[in-house]
Amino acid sequence: MLKIPYTSIFSKSSLYEALKLIKSKGSGLDKESLLMFKKNAKKEINELYRELLAGTYAPQPIEKIAIAKNKKEKRPIALSSVRDKVVQRALVNTIEPHFDKGMSNMSYGYRRNRSTLKAINRCRDFINRGKFWVYKTDVRNFFETINHDTLLNLLDQHIEDKQIVRLISLYLKNGGFKHQTYVEHGEGVHQGDILSPLLSNIYLNEMDKYLERKEIEFVRYADDFVLFFKKKEQIQTPVKELESFLKTLSLHLGEKKSYQANVFKHGFTFLGAFFKDKEVKIDNARLQKKVSALFEIARETDKSAKFVKKVNAFLEGLSFYYLKIIDPQSTQYTVLYNGLIDASSQFVFLQRKAGKIKTKKEFKEAFEGLYFLKEVSVTEHKETVERIVSKGFEKYLATKTYVKDEGKLKSNKQKYAKSFAASSVLYVSQFGAYLGMSKNSITVKVKGKVLAKIPKKQCEQIIIAGKAISLSSNMVYLCAYEGIAIDFVDGRDRPFASIFSAKNAYPKMALMQLELIEKNLSLPLAKAFIRGKSKNQLNYLKYLDRYHNDVEKKIALIEQKIKGNIKKAKTNAELMGYEGDISAVYWQSLVQILESKSNFEGRVTRGAEDLVNASLNYGYAILYARIQHALLKAGLALHISFLHSLQDGKPTLVYDLIEEFRAFVVDRAIVSMINKNEPLKLDAKGVLTKASCHLIVQNVKERLGVYTQHKKASKKVETILQDQAYLLARHVRGEATYKPFIGKY
């Protein structure tokens, strides 16, 4: 009988001592951390002391969470407040020694001076004494099904001062909040509470005593245990009787994890160790998890010193249990050792690939303190580190070679994609030209002479950029039927007309687009267009900065503006203002980058007299036409937009969607042409020459034809453009949420 009075348990000194032993930094519902509690320790302890002595103390409701037990199951965990942890720790410190004295020497879980390793050795002892048949089992949902009345009756039998029992009953009955809903606690103990391990052992000690009375030898660790027998025939009856006894405690054996086994024939697993033929190994699944954990450290650690520290701490944990079971001469030891070497070399590879460390010497110096499962000589340690670093560098160099080879394949793929894309556009600028049909091809004639010919299956777009050019009705019919775009641009690179099929008119979709605007639901779309444009401008500058190193500060400024402004915009006007700020920084950056190659001084949209702006305007005209046809194909009404203001006679939705493609398609094509000194020229009137127009058409179409990564797939840019138009249509219909295209560089 425990005769210590309640008042002796909860002195101020015992509460202070309990606080020192609290290690968990987690807080309860009151969100008071251990650090905060310690800062106010005098006040907190005095208050607790007064409440405990006055009998007014009551634990706060717990916070109920669940953590992964395995891939399928979750374990409920209770998060108590720090003040409740202090009281529980003071209580356990006092009453645990009394209860521990009366517990079975075959019980090992949650007890002082006992461990999993000692439990493993006890199993070995029983096997060595000829107990070759086992019944491995556990108690089903043990912690959640402990009967409160039964447990309190057991405590009553052992504790003289009933005020202690009443306090424990408060902890048992204390409910908690799960997702802001209070949940009563009618049975079980809270996993995560300091008091729960002791209470669970007190409860299961009744089973331990029963097994001892029946002279059945066993090893128990918490609710997991093994019964040992000399013969198979001895198993069935005791197990049935044990099941009946457990019912008196409102408990049941766990059928899913129960089985009988012969040590020599089958073997069995207990506490992560596998017993067979008088040998003990770590269960292979557990061992593999440990090896995987090493690789996880390699993936998630960014500095060599941290990696060494984490690995050493991990290996120290293994040394307390796993390394005391695994024979250094065994295959398992080799697996673990090789896992350490491979994970360490993987870390070297990842760091080298990221460019964080470039020399072997730096790695060798960092790895001087790395532990290798056992004590080794200085020479052996150096040789092992050399092996790790060399292996990591070999992998880096090999991958670099493979990437280079893959790059050749991608280069060829892009080369032909560009070629096909450029040849799919028919550009006509000759005065007096005539476009007609000849068998399955579109032909261009001047004065009866064929100047160009393109198969209808290959043609995707026709650009008319001259005067006195005529079209045959047969050709117009074919283009409408085949979905071939016919676009007209003027001498100042502005598109002024297009011919498209009458089937593309969808009045229902127009009504849906208007409805979005009337219901004030257009702002998210407007934000998406601007976010796409700004992010693509930002990413393109980052790409250019790799080679120019001139615009780091401007990149940082754009990042700041994107992060801080776009999300908080409340109107389209406000959003356009933020877009203007970002674009201003973007164009200033391009002025800086192109300074030595051109007289480009900034963006001019109309009446441009410099080569860069004139080329950009012409490139946008080509892209504009492509966007327009994509939107028509998706069934959208061109004159109803979400970002730009609606204007009579203007396809403002084209202005919306084109935003996210400008930098990725046109800006990149034109800047590249300028940097490569391609022969772009203006004539005496300040207008692009015909040869220059041809060259821009070719380059922009090549950009549209290249492959890039989008939504985990490699796609042509023109395919992505059409996909975005379809996505916009689905958004309007309420079938999807529009997300902008953000290109990869």
Side-chain angles (χ1 to χ4, degrees):
M1 178 70 72
L2 178 71
K3 296 184 180 293
I4 300 173
Y6 174 89
T7 51
S8 297
I9 294 175
F10 300 113
S11 64
K12 286 185 181 180
S13 61
S14 69
L15 292 173
Y16 273 112
E17 191 61 36
L19 177 58
K20 289 178 186 176
L21 297 172
I22 304 295
K23 303 297 180 187
S24 173
K25 295 180 181 178
S27 59
L29 284 173
D30 63 0
K31 301 304 176 188
E32 184 178 29
S33 68
L34 180 60
L35 184 63
M36 290 166 62
F37 191 95
K38 284 183 174 180
K39 279 184 179 179
N40 301 310
K42 187 175 181 180
K43 179 187 171 185
E44 297 281 5
I45 295 296
N46 285 341
E47 190 175 330
L48 264 181
Y49 177 68
R50 282 195 299 272
E51 289 179 16
L52 287 162
L53 289 192
T56 58
Y57 167 80
Q60 295 179 359
I62 61 154
E63 183 176 359
K64 298 172 77 71
I65 64 168
I67 61 172
K69 187 176 180 180
N70 50 48
K71 288 184 179 179
K72 295 181 180 178
E73 300 175 289
K74 288 191 173 182
R75 177 182 284 115
I77 294 293
L79 299 178
S80 297
S81 66
V82 177
R83 70 194 318 266
D84 292 335
K85 289 175 186 175
V86 170
V87 177
Q88 288 188 42
R89 173 47 63 195
L91 181 59
V92 169
N93 286 350
T94 306
I95 70 173
E96 186 179 45
H98 167 79
F99 283 101
D100 195 71
K101 287 176 187 175
M103 289 182 186
S104 170
N105 68 0
M106 288 181 274
S107 164
Y108 289 85
Y110 314 129
R111 295 178 66 188
R112 292 181 185 179
N113 301 317
R114 287 174 175 261
S115 63
T116 48
L117 186 62
K118 287 183 177 180
I120 295 295
N121 289 334
R122 190 67 179 273
C123 291
R124 275 176 168 158
D125 180 57
F126 286 137
I127 293 168
N128 289 335
R129 289 197 276 126
K131 301 291 177 93
F132 300 143
W133 281 92
V134 301
Y135 189 77
K136 168 67 182 66
T137 187
D138 69 351
V139 179
R140 187 172 70 214
N141 295 329
F142 169 61
F143 294 97
E144 289 81 35
T145 57
I146 289 175
N147 184 283
H148 289 177
D149 291 335
T150 305
L151 177 57
L152 291 170
N153 284 335
L154 290 171
L155 294 171
D156 249 344
Q157 296 169 27
H158 285 272
I159 299 173
E160 189 173 86
D161 191 334
K162 302 311 174 190
Q163 199 172 352
I164 299 172
V165 179
R166 281 194 292 275
L167 176 61
I168 294 172
S169 74
L170 288 178
Y171 284 117
L172 289 174
K173 295 170 185 174
N174 187 30
F177 283 87
K178 184 178 182 180
H179 306 308
Q180 299 182 340
T181 301
Y182 186 80
V183 180
E184 300 284 351
H185 195 244
E187 62 179 1
V189 294
H190 294 299
Q191 292 189 67
D193 264 358
I194 291 170
L195 188 58
S196 295
L198 174 60
L199 295 180
S200 66
N201 265 336
I202 291 170
Y203 201 79
L204 269 190
N205 193 50
E206 295 302 298
M207 180 190 78
D208 297 344
K209 287 179 180 176
Y210 166 82
L211 291 170
E212 286 177 346
R213 289 196 298 272
K214 292 287 183 177
E215 297 184 343
I216 298 170
E217 290 179 313
F218 66 95
V219 175
R220 180 175 70 82
Y221 195 98
D223 60 334
D224 201 12
F225 60 100
V226 187
L227 308 179
F228 290 86
F229 304 92
K230 284 192 173 182
K231 297 178 182 178
K232 182 181 180 180
E233 301 79 51
Q234 296 174 332
I235 298 176
Q236 190 174 1
T237 302
V239 169
K240 281 186 178 179
E241 291 174 350
L242 175 60
E243 179 67 56
S244 298
F245 173 78
L246 284 174
K247 286 178 183 176
T248 66
L249 297 172
S250 305
L251 300 176
H252 300 275
L253 292 177
E255 294 175 3
K256 290 182 180 179
K257 296 182 180 179
S258 298
Y259 60 91
Q260 63 183 32
N262 180 275
V263 173
F264 294 102
K265 194 182 281 186
H266 317 105
F268 69 97
T269 299
F270 180 54
L271 299 179
F274 182 67
F275 297 79
K276 192 175 182 184
D277 297 335
K278 291 192 176 183
E279 286 186 359
V280 183
K281 298 178 180 178
I282 296 300
D283 180 64
N284 283 329
R286 293 271 186 111
L287 184 68
Q288 194 52 54
K289 280 185 180 179
K290 297 299 177 185
V291 172
S292 297
L294 285 168
F295 278 90
E296 193 172 337
I297 292 171
R299 282 195 304 274
E300 295 182 354
T301 311
D302 59 351
K303 291 183 179 178
S304 299
K306 282 185 182 178
F307 175 76
V308 171
K309 188 176 180 180
K310 285 184 179 180
V311 170
N312 285 352
F314 180 79
L315 296 178
E316 186 180 8
L318 292 186
S319 70
F320 294 132
Y321 182 45
Y322 284 81
L323 294 180
K324 287 182 178 177
I325 295 173
I326 300 172
D327 185 341
Q329 307 303 318
S330 68
T331 304
Q332 287 198 325
Y333 186 91
T334 304
V335 168
L336 192 57
Y337 180 78
N338 288 340
L340 171 61
I341 300 299
D342 290 343
S344 300
S345 63
Q346 177 70 3
F347 174 77
V348 172
F349 161 70
L350 292 172
Q351 294 293 296
R352 181 66 189 89
K353 184 181 177 185
K356 293 180 180 178
I357 295 181
K358 296 184 178 179
T359 67
K360 290 184 177 182
K361 184 182 178 182
E362 290 175 275
F363 283 110
K364 289 175 185 178
E365 288 173 352
F367 283 6
E368 281 179 1
L370 190 62
Y371 177 61
F372 291 124
L373 300 182
K374 61 180 181 180
E375 294 296 329
V376 295
S377 68
V378 174
T379 303
E380 283 180 289
H381 193 281
K382 282 184 177 179
E383 287 175 353
T384 308
V385 169
E386 178 69 42
R387 179 183 164 198
I388 289 169
V389 175
S390 296
K391 197 170 182 181
F393 268 71
E394 283 170 16
K395 185 174 181 181
Y396 167 72
L397 293 171
T399 307
K400 199 174 179 185
T401 304
Y402 298 147
V403 169
K404 194 173 179 182
D405 290 342
E406 283 181 23
K408 292 175 185 175
L409 294 175
K410 287 180 182 177
S411 176
N412 286 337
K413 172 183 170 183
Q414 298 288 35
K415 176 183 172 183
Y416 283 98
K418 286 180 180 180
S419 172
F420 294 145
S423 62
S424 65
V425 178
L426 182 59
Y427 180 85
V428 184
S429 60
Q430 292 89 338
F431 182 89
Y434 169 79
L435 279 76
M437 292 296 303
S438 175
K439 294 184 180 178
N440 289 316
S441 296
I442 298 168
T443 59
V444 180
K445 296 180 181 179
V446 175
K447 296 180 180 179
K449 185 180 178 182
V450 176
L451 297 184
K453 191 174 184 181
I454 182 171
K456 68 175 184 180
K457 288 183 179 179
Q458 184 179 321
C459 188
E460 291 180 2
Q461 184 181 16
I462 299 171
I463 297 175
I464 311 294
K467 295 181 179 179
I469 296 173
S470 56
L471 317 175
S472 78
S473 58
N474 282 347
M475 195 212 69
V476 172
Y477 175 82
L478 171 81
C479 290
Y481 184 80
E482 296 288 347
I484 298 170
I486 304 177
D487 300 300
F488 297 82
V489 295
D490 64 15
R492 283 285 178 182
D493 322 320
R494 292 186 294 263
F496 63 87
S498 294
I499 297 176
F500 50 87
S501 170
K503 324 186 268 196
N504 286 329
Y506 295 95
K508 201 173 189 179
M509 184 65 85
L511 290 173
M512 290 180 183
Q513 287 172 242
L514 283 171
E515 192 177 3
L516 276 181
I517 296 169
E518 286 169 4
K519 289 183 176 179
N520 295 318
L521 298 174
S522 60
L523 186 60
L525 276 173
K527 285 185 177 182
F529 294 134
I530 293 303
R531 182 171 174 271
K533 177 179 183 177
S534 301
K535 288 287 283 184
N536 281 319
Q537 287 177 332
L538 174 66
N539 290 345
Y540 183 43
L541 286 184
K542 285 181 177 179
Y543 169 77
L544 290 172
D545 195 52
R546 294 180 203 167
Y547 308 100
H548 298 273
N549 297 317
D550 292 331
V551 290
E552 284 183 6
K553 289 182 180 178
K554 289 185 172 65
I555 287 170
L557 183 58
I558 290 177
E559 284 179 327
Q560 183 184 342
K561 288 178 180 291
I562 291 173
K563 191 176 181 181
N565 294 339
I566 293 176
K567 281 186 180 179
K568 70 179 183 183
K570 294 179 180 177
T571 63
N572 277 24
E574 192 179 347
L575 187 62
M576 291 294 273
Y578 293 141
E579 183 276 329
D581 289 344
I582 292 168
S583 287
V585 178
Y586 171 73
W587 291 113
Q588 287 167 17
S589 302
L590 288 186
V591 167
Q592 197 171 328
I593 287 167
L594 295 174
E595 190 175 11
S596 63
K597 295 282 185 178
S598 70
N599 60 347
F600 181 54
E601 295 179 353
R603 184 75 185 104
V604 177
T605 54
R606 291 187 179 182
E609 295 180 359
D610 66 284
L611 183 63
V612 175
N613 274 303
S615 300
L616 286 167
N617 290 343
Y618 200 80
Y620 291 147
I622 299 162
L623 179 61
Y624 173 103
R626 189 69 189 83
I627 295 280
Q628 179 169 284
H629 283 275
L631 291 170
L632 286 170
K633 199 171 180 181
L636 288 153
L638 301 181
H639 58 287
I640 302 172
S641 52
F642 306 104
L643 171 64
H644 293 85
S645 300
L646 277 60
Q647 300 175 50
D648 286 343
K650 292 193 176 182
T652 49
L653 188 60
V654 177
Y655 307 161
D656 284 1
L657 187 57
I658 199 174
E659 297 291 8
E660 61 196 64
F661 290 95
R662 287 182 187 272
F664 193 80
V665 177
V666 178
D667 297 1
R668 188 170 179 182
I670 301 303
V671 170
S672 176
M673 292 171 77
I674 299 293
N675 277 327
K676 290 177 182 176
N677 296 314
E678 293 201 25
L680 294 174
K681 292 179 182 178
L682 298 175
D683 61 16
K685 296 179 180 179
V687 177
L688 286 166
T689 63
K690 288 183 179 179
S692 297
C693 290
H694 274 288
L695 201 54
I696 291 170
V697 169
Q698 181 183 339
N699 276 269
V700 171
K701 281 305 293 179
E702 283 179 357
R703 283 296 306 152
L704 286 167
V706 298
Y707 286 83
T708 190
Q709 283 295 119
H710 182 58
K711 294 182 180 178
K712 298 181 180 179
S714 179
K715 294 182 180 180
K716 283 184 180 181
V717 176
E718 58 190 351
T719 304
I720 295 169
L721 194 152
Q722 185 64 65
D723 287 347
Q724 290 298 101
Y726 285 134
L727 178 60
L728 180 58
R730 291 201 302 276
H731 181 103
V732 170
R733 292 194 296 267
E735 299 168 359
T737 300
Y738 186 81
K739 292 182 180 179
F741 163 70
I742 297 171
K744 306 281 185 185
Y745 286 89

